[in-house]
Amino acid sequence: EMNAEIARRIKEGRWEIVGGMWVEPDLNMPDGESLVRQFLVGKRWFKQQYGVDTRIGWNPDSFGYTWQLPQIMKKSGVDYFVTQKMAWNDTNQLPFKFFWWESPDGSKVLAYFPHDYSNDNLNPVRLARDFTIAQKQATGLPGIMDLYGIGDHGGGPTRAILDEGFHWAAPGHVTPKIEFGTAQSYFNALETQIAPGSPEWNYQSIAKGYTPPPAVAGKVNIPTWKSELYFEYHRGVMTTQANHKRNMREAEEQVLNAEKWASLAWLDGREYPGKELTEDWKKVLFNQFHDTAAGSGIGRIYKDAQKDYDVVRWSTNEILQNAEQELIVSMDTRARSDRFIPVVVFNPSGWNRSGEVTVKVQYPKLADNEGVLISDSTSPDKIIFAIFSTLDRKTGVASITFHAADVPSMGSKVFFVTSGVLANIVKKNEGDNSDNFVSLRQGEIHLVINKEDGCITKIWKNDQQLLSDGGCGNQLQLFADNPKEYDAWNIDPGTLDVKPITIEKVDSVEFIPGNPVRPAIKIVSHYGSSKFVQTLSIQDDLIDIDNEIDWHESHVLLKAAFPLAASGPFATYEIPYGTIDRATTRNNSWEQAQFEVPAMRWADLGGIGSDGKIHGLSILNQSKYGYDAVGSTLRLTLLRSPKWPDAEADMGHHHFHYALYPHAGTWKDALTVRHGYEYNYPLTAVVTTAHSGSLPASHSFASVTPENVVLTAVKKAEDANGLIFRVYEWAGKETTAEFHVP
């Protein structure tokens, strides 16, 4: 009944639909695919319920805005953007109220900053003041849009406010002209008056001082902003409520993987679970609401969110299993004997890759000197030793982790579980253990750890040392974190400027021989009431750091720091569908204010090494979003411990991974983007039976080239019998993309 009344008001033109998203999400942490789905689900609902579309992005309260948002909005049919939040900056104010906001690819939307949140009057003195400020920043501006009403985001009008507005709008008053209208009508009128061409600004240029654009007769001349809208206030929201951050990342991956394989199974005749996937997406999107994603809610909402995430996990797991079984039916999985158990490994990436995969099998009885081995179907005589395996000899159940080589792009490859004598396996990984140091070596990577303080003292890649001389890599740094206000939201300026507390003597550093393929180093330490267990191992090109943390501190911020031998003026951070460079210097107030910044799967810092060549280090993560880089040190934020509004926020056990990717050349040369995706979208394995099929044992269903193009999603079209393939180009160069599709 209420919805019917709303629909009637919309039809009358008295209610205006803006925003177009399912909720008002955080706009730094969700993946680009999630932001696209916010518009897809939200706009479709408005169309279905009210028969209207919206062209105005309306995000008044999100805590900063990714640089890629203009492109995502533009491709979603949104041409304008409104926010008030930037007025809350604690250090600098962007001198814009009306401007073009442009993404790296050149897409731009018309952006407007109204006044701060609540205007409970239509006083002509206030309106005249706001108008004067706007005219100083955008020359020739004929009028401003004022959001009036009671409440946090402009709110609702009262009779008193409306009476005041009608009074001053009546003839005979010497006031600015006032008329009631809609945001869309304001943008429509103003857009026709904008002068072509506009001065371009970013954080580096604006630090030198803002100059309003010159006047153009009869036109509005406005600036163009070519950077993110970094919010200089709620910097703690990238870290608070760590379990919710992990759920956000994992749920995105679960839905996208389910969509990909369900799309291919649909081509084979299985019904596409569109309704189920849409409901899963609604749960994912709802819990990316900015005040939820920020970790700034009361404890109860995170319990509710966990229930949603559990449903998403169960639903997508069922969709994924059904789709994989449909595809496996068409594969040739025949083995040489009944002692070979076929295992199909699936690769969700749009490129060929190798990597670790885990599977549980039940194997026939083994001799006492035998263990579980893996055979590659494309090279049957090639035996792969399991990196990890647990075997119950009574039941024959084995949990196996092995290295799956050359799995085709968005495709599958058959491997076989078999048996063999373990003594015949050659060691592939080496470790050294002395009184003072312990080290690991695999391929081009060599890692050395000090037993006294647990510091990584050396990281060599091809004999090039990446850490600074005498530096402590992976140092756990603790900072007093006492925001003046908004406890869960804020990390105050100056918090990271003091010398951190560090752990000078760890409890133990233990070399773990493991099996012949994967030794590891286990570091145990403590601070206050908290305990840290970190297990380091080398996995292909990465140094994986497995963290088990029992966290019981109050108002403490925890970071992992890496002082590097080579640095530069900028560090690079992954953002939705792209990257951004942020300064490692603190030469002005704009750089000083960006002391804690958001990133998605990775951040990278590098420069010219001692050999005269470029080297760098990427820090990859699976569930973290806060980073900083100053000088030659790159840091990942691990945990916080605010006490309001949830006194128990982040107290207790945490298990998460992050990884180091030392590389030669720049992050572009080293394909850090791909490594970030692979670290978050692992290969998966399914045990099956031996049977014939039309598809070979190694098969690619789809791929996209060249390597600077990433396939992010494959899904059935909402209203047609077709597949949507979404990609983005990450290297910043013109590219002809080639799609190989079923």
Side-chain angles (χ1 to χ4, degrees):
E1 185 178 335
M2 184 182 289
N3 194 44
E5 189 176 357
I6 292 172
R8 191 160 60 249
R9 293 290 182 255
I10 293 170
K11 193 171 183 179
E12 293 169 355
R14 294 174 61 185
W15 275 42
E16 183 179 22
I17 299 297
V18 295
M21 289 182 157
W22 188 241
V23 297
E24 185 185 353
D26 182 271
L27 289 168
N28 282 312
M29 293 181 283
D31 196 2
E33 274 303 314
S34 290
L35 300 183
V36 167
R37 304 312 173 91
Q38 288 282 0
F39 283 115
L40 175 66
V41 177
K43 289 188 124 205
R44 281 178 64 79
W45 195 89
F46 283 143
K47 274 281 192 182
Q48 292 163 358
Q49 289 289 319
Y50 306 133
V52 299
D53 194 10
T54 177
R55 296 173 60 202
I56 304 175
W58 199 275
N59 299 84
D61 199 42
S62 301
F63 307 142
Y65 305 90
T66 175
W67 191 11
Q68 283 289 55
L69 191 57
Q71 184 184 26
I72 294 170
M73 287 193 289
K74 200 72 178 178
K75 288 181 178 293
S76 303
V78 173
D79 302 307
Y80 314 98
F81 175 68
V82 176
T83 182
Q84 292 144 283
K85 195 64 178 183
M86 300 302 293
W88 281 36
N89 276 6
D90 60 18
T91 306
N92 305 282
Q93 286 294 317
L94 281 171
F96 308 135
K97 285 182 79 70
F98 194 71
F99 58 98
W100 289 114
W101 185 20
E102 185 173 319
S103 281
D105 78 308
S107 301
K108 58 184 181 181
V109 294
L110 203 52
Y112 183 69
F113 290 169
H115 47 74
D116 200 358
Y117 282 100
S118 182
N119 274 331
D120 58 1
N121 66 76
L122 285 172
N123 185 291
V125 176
R126 179 186 67 78
L127 295 174
R129 182 187 67 243
D130 289 349
F131 184 28
T132 302
I133 294 171
Q135 280 189 315
K136 289 180 180 178
Q137 298 169 347
T139 58
L141 194 66
I144 61 170
M145 178 171 66
D146 185 74
L147 308 184
Y148 60 91
I150 303 294
D152 198 11
H153 299 104
T158 64
R159 289 180 175 83
I161 296 174
L162 293 174
D163 286 345
E164 185 178 27
F166 285 124
H167 171 77
W168 292 111
H173 295 106
V174 183
T175 65
K177 180 184 177 183
I178 296 174
E179 62 182 25
F180 292 98
T182 62
Q184 187 63 64
S185 62
Y186 173 79
F187 282 122
N188 288 346
L190 204 56
E191 196 169 19
T192 62
Q193 304 174 53
I194 296 176
S198 55
E200 297 179 350
W201 297 87
N202 57 31
Y203 283 109
Q204 285 69 50
S205 59
I206 205 169
K208 300 175 183 177
Y210 175 70
T211 304
V216 177
K219 291 289 184 180
V220 181
N221 201 6
I222 64 173
T224 294
W225 182 249
K226 299 182 72 171
S227 187
E228 65 184 332
L229 293 174
Y230 175 84
F231 183 46
E232 298 177 354
Y233 199 41
H234 294 338
R235 301 175 183 88
V237 300
M238 282 84 78
T239 304
T240 308
Q241 295 286 3
N243 287 335
H244 189 80
K245 303 293 195 285
R246 173 182 52 78
N247 278 327
M248 283 201 303
R249 180 77 62 83
E250 290 179 355
E252 288 175 331
E253 295 159 0
Q254 289 157 3
V255 182
L256 288 169
N257 278 340
E259 275 186 343
K260 287 179 180 179
W261 300 115
S263 298
L264 295 174
W266 172 68
L267 294 182
D268 270 1
R270 178 175 284 274
E271 183 178 356
Y272 186 76
K275 182 178 179 181
E276 293 86 345
L277 286 167
T278 298
E279 290 303 311
D280 291 335
W281 270 116
K282 286 179 179 179
K283 291 180 175 63
V284 172
L285 302 178
F286 177 81
N287 287 292
Q288 290 173 349
F289 180 69
H290 62 281
D291 283 317
T292 307
S296 55
I298 60 175
R300 168 69 183 273
I301 70 173
Y302 297 101
K303 295 178 181 178
D304 289 347
Q306 185 64 59
K307 294 175 183 176
D308 279 348
Y309 286 125
D310 288 341
V311 172
V312 170
R313 186 175 68 253
W314 297 328
S315 171
T316 55
N317 187 54
E318 182 175 359
I319 291 170
L320 182 66
Q321 287 184 359
N322 290 338
E324 288 175 337
Q325 291 299 331
E326 182 73 34
L327 298 172
I328 288 173
V329 169
S330 301
M331 299 175 188
D332 189 343
T333 63
R334 287 174 293 181
R336 288 183 293 174
S337 76
D338 58 5
R339 287 186 60 84
F340 283 72
I341 300 174
V343 173
V344 180
V345 175
F346 287 94
N347 171 16
S349 306
W351 56 87
N352 296 358
R353 59 184 276 202
S354 302
E356 291 184 7
V357 65
T358 300
V359 65
K360 183 176 285 187
V361 300
Q362 186 164 21
Y363 201 81
K365 185 177 180 181
L366 298 171
D368 291 340
N369 66 337
E370 285 187 320
V372 177
L373 305 177
I374 311 295
S375 172
D376 188 323
S377 61
T378 55
S379 304
D381 296 327
K382 181 181 179 182
I383 298 297
I384 309 164
F385 186 74
I387 297 169
F388 298 109
S389 64
T390 59
L391 174 63
D392 185 332
R393 291 186 178 272
K394 291 182 179 179
T395 63
V397 174
S399 180
I400 307 163
T401 299
F402 66 94
H403 182 83
D406 303 320
V407 184
S409 165
M410 201 173 163
S412 59
K413 185 176 181 180
V414 179
F415 293 83
F416 296 103
V417 178
T418 183
S419 61
V421 179
L422 302 186
N424 295 334
I425 303 301
V426 179
K427 289 187 178 182
K428 296 182 180 179
N429 196 328
E430 298 176 355
D432 300 306
N433 192 8
S434 67
D435 291 338
N436 300 318
F437 296 93
V438 60
S439 71
L440 294 177
R441 186 192 302 269
Q442 177 179 289
E444 300 172 344
I445 297 178
H446 185 195
L447 172 72
V448 179
I449 294 177
N450 186 314
K451 285 188 173 182
E452 178 76 12
D453 54 18
C455 292
I456 301 177
T457 60
K458 307 285 185 184
I459 298 177
W460 280 287
K461 177 71 179 280
N462 284 332
D463 297 323
Q464 173 64 37
Q465 159 69 326
L466 276 86
L467 296 181
S468 62
D469 288 338
C472 177
N474 196 42
Q475 184 180 54
L476 297 181
Q477 299 183 346
L478 301 109
F479 297 84
D481 183 16
N482 295 285
K484 294 183 179 68
E485 54 185 356
Y486 294 109
D487 199 17
W489 291 256
N490 286 359
I491 301 172
D492 283 357
T495 299
L496 304 182
D497 294 339
V498 300
K499 185 178 180 180
I501 297 171
T502 58
I503 300 169
E504 301 302 320
K505 184 175 178 59
V506 299
D507 300 334
S508 64
V509 176
E510 179 185 2
F511 178 75
I512 304 173
N515 60 45
V517 180
R518 175 61 56 74
I521 299 172
K522 182 178 180 181
I523 305 170
V524 179
S525 59
H526 72 275
Y527 169 80
S529 302
S530 301
K531 181 179 180 181
F532 312 97
V533 180
Q534 295 188 301
T535 304
L536 287 70
S537 60
I538 300 174
Q539 300 181 13
D540 299 320
D541 294 331
L542 304 181
I543 301 167
D544 181 72
I545 303 176
D546 182 331
N547 297 267
E548 295 276 1
I549 297 179
D550 194 21
W551 183 243
H552 294 284
E553 305 311 305
S554 295
H555 289 119
V556 174
L557 173 71
L558 177 67
K559 283 181 172 282
F562 298 87
L564 304 183
S567 181
F570 300 98
T572 302
Y573 304 83
E574 187 188 36
I575 61 176
Y577 293 147
T579 58
I580 190 169
D581 291 340
R582 300 186 180 109
T584 57
T585 54
R586 299 293 185 263
N587 295 330
N588 54 64
S589 62
W590 297 91
E591 293 179 358
Q592 292 163 11
Q594 295 189 18
F595 59 83
E596 178 80 357
V597 296
M600 292 179 56
R601 286 169 282 262
W602 58 270
D604 183 88
L605 180 59
I608 298 176
S610 59
D611 60 356
K613 298 178 181 179
I614 295 175
H615 302 272
L617 180 74
S618 301
I619 302 179
L620 316 180
N621 75 83
Q622 294 176 343
S623 60
K624 303 298 176 184
Y625 295 93
Y627 284 85
D628 77 296
V630 58
S632 60
T633 298
L634 181 62
R635 296 187 290 199
L636 174 66
T637 308
L638 305 182
L639 289 168
R640 294 185 70 219
S641 45
K643 294 302 172 187
W644 180 80
D646 179 10
E648 299 301 316
D650 289 322
M651 294 296 99
H653 178 258
H654 297 268
H655 181 209
F656 57 88
H657 290 247
Y658 57 89
L660 312 179
Y661 175 38
H663 59 80
T666 67
W667 64 268
K668 293 182 181 181
D669 300 326
L671 299 179
T672 290
V673 172
R674 285 192 171 186
H675 281 76
Y677 273 97
E678 290 177 5
Y679 196 56
N680 281 265
Y681 289 83
L683 302 173
T684 58
V686 178
V687 177
T688 187
T689 58
H691 58 261
S692 61
S694 59
L695 297 180
S698 180
H699 176 71
S700 171
F701 293 97
S703 65
V704 182
T705 55
E707 62 189 13
N708 60 309
V709 178
V710 172
L711 176 67
T712 60
V714 180
K715 65 181 290 289
K716 181 183 177 296
E718 299 290 329
D719 303 312
N721 284 331
L723 290 186
I724 304 294
F725 284 74
R726 183 149 39 248
V727 301
Y728 78 93
E729 191 283 324
W730 54 258
K733 61 183 182 182
E734 265 192 36
T735 297
T736 298
E738 185 173 291
F739 291 78
H740 295 260
V741 298

